[in-house]
């Protein structure tokens, strides 16, 4: 997404996050996805997520017991 200078829960090929998880072979029973763009710090990202009902629910769902984090920077973005 950074390479293509866009951010969405839907991949540039139309994939859902669950499609992308399954492509890795990762075994899961429940999953959620929080993505962000435009914030300038991790604190700003967390503030945005905690002020969003859906993202906040993902963070606070006790059934989610594992976490994956990624970060990408597009130095060519305008």
């Amino acid at each position: 997404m950074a390479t293509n200078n866009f951010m969405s829960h839907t991949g540039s090929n139309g994939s859902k996050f669950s499609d992308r998880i399954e492509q890795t072979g990762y075994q899961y029973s429940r999953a959620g996805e929080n993505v962000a763009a435009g914030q300038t710090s991790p604190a700003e990202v967390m503030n945005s997520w905690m002020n969003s009902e859906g993202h906040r629910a993902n963070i606070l769902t006790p059934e989610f017991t594992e976490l994956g984090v990624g970060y990408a920077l597009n130095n060519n973005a305008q």
Side-chain angles (χ1 to χ4, degrees), residues 28-55:
Y28 69 98
S29 60
R30 190 167 181 186
E33 178 185 56
N34 286 1
V35 296
Q39 294 83 2
T40 60
S41 71
E44 283 187 21
V45 172
M46 285 304 299
N47 187 53
S48 295
W49 285 342
M50 293 306 282
N51 286 299
S52 162
E53 185 177 340
H55 294 103

Side-chain angles (χ1 to χ4, degrees), residues 3-78:
T3 299
N4 294 314
N5 197 30
F6 88 105
M7 190 277 304
S8 175
H9 290 285
T10 303
S12 58
N13 64 354
S15 64
K16 298 178 290 187
F17 81 96
S18 57
D19 298 328
R20 296 187 297 274
I21 294 170
E22 290 167 9
Q23 288 174 350
T24 70
Y26 181 75
Q27 298 294 308
Y28 69 98
S29 60
R30 190 167 181 186
E33 178 185 56
N34 286 1
V35 296
Q39 294 83 2
T40 60
S41 71
E44 283 187 21
V45 172
M46 285 304 299
N47 187 53
S48 295
W49 285 342
M50 293 306 282
N51 286 299
S52 162
E53 185 177 340
H55 294 103
R56 181 182 177 93
N58 279 347
I59 293 166
L60 299 178
T61 297
E63 291 84 9
F64 292 157
T65 59
E66 298 177 281
L67 171 71
V69 176
Y71 173 81
L73 178 63
N74 180 347
N75 288 323
N76 297 318
Q78 298 189 44

